[in-house]
Amino acid sequence: MQEFLTVATILKPQGIRGEIKVKALTDSADDLKAFKKLLIDGVEYSVLSVRAQGEFAFLGLKGIADRNAAELLRGKSIEVARGEAPELPEGRYYIVDLIGCEVLTERGDLIGEVTDVTPAKTDVYTISKNGKETVFAAADGVITDVDVGAKKITVNSKRFKEVSL
């Protein structure tokens, strides 16, 4: 498993005092309030303030004192140590843990390997096999089992065929 998790992307500076506007990659921008330390390009920053607004948040970071310093962070990813990340409820997974999982039917037939997951109301998985990509929505009844330790996702064949492209 990956040691660090990407939790947000920096969009732009906000104001003149070094605050940054970020797009949260978590279920809610409020989740960012739980973090005391963040990593940007491997540099650790202490979190001074977090204001959540929808899927966006405005962060104040120690060492980023003005708009010019904040501008240098534009477009960068914000990571946290896995140990700092909140524990997920049963049946929820970090996307990074799903990437690389084999997708199999309940009979054990290999459909492909997860290459991307697009978060949405119903997440959209992209899988690849022999250079061919297939996309499917994780609608009710499609995914029957996830074992991130074994890197395997089992799907219901019939439901998979109904929702895949």
Side-chain angles (χ1 to χ4, degrees):
M1 289 195 190
Q2 243 179 290
E3 187 179 347
F4 296 97
L5 302 174
T6 303
V7 295
T9 300
I10 300 171
L11 300 176
K12 64 179 189 138
Q14 179 69 28
I16 60 170
R17 293 195 171 111
E19 197 173 47
I20 54 174
K21 181 178 183 180
V22 304
K23 180 174 185 343
L25 302 177
T26 57
D27 288 342
S28 166
D30 281 321
D31 294 339
L32 299 177
K33 292 178 180 178
F35 304 115
K36 305 285 185 242
K37 305 255 185 216
L38 303 172
L39 291 170
I40 303 171
D41 278 350
V43 177
E44 186 175 274
Y45 294 91
S46 294
V47 178
L48 300 175
S49 64
V50 179
R51 290 183 296 119
Q53 200 171 63
E55 64 184 277
F56 302 102
F58 302 93
L59 305 180
L61 304 175
K62 188 173 185 176
I64 307 299
D66 61 26
R67 185 175 185 88
N68 291 336
E71 183 64 48
L72 297 174
L73 302 177
R74 184 188 292 260
K76 297 186 184 285
S77 294
I78 296 176
E79 297 179 314
V80 297
R82 182 179 284 276
E84 298 287 318
E87 182 113 0
L88 294 175
E90 184 72 28
R92 302 291 310 268
Y93 307 94
Y94 287 110
I95 289 174
V96 69
D97 295 334
L98 298 173
I99 304 296
C101 285
E102 291 183 331
V103 178
L104 308 156
T105 65
E106 56 277 301
R107 287 188 351 202
D109 299 327
L110 178 65
I111 297 173
E113 182 178 299
V114 177
T115 57
D116 191 26
V117 178
T118 304
K121 186 171 183 166
T122 301
D123 293 344
V124 177
Y125 287 59
T126 304
I127 58 175
S128 179
K129 182 178 178 187
N130 299 330
K132 182 181 174 195
E133 282 193 343
T134 304
V135 177
F136 73 94
D140 287 339
V142 177
I143 296 175
T144 59
D145 186 55
V146 176
D147 184 347
V148 292
K151 299 297 275 177
K152 293 183 189 234
I153 298 172
T154 306
V155 296
N156 177 294
S157 304
K158 181 178 182 228
R159 285 290 288 142
F160 178 81
K161 289 176 184 169
E162 293 171 355
V163 298
S164 64
L165 301 172

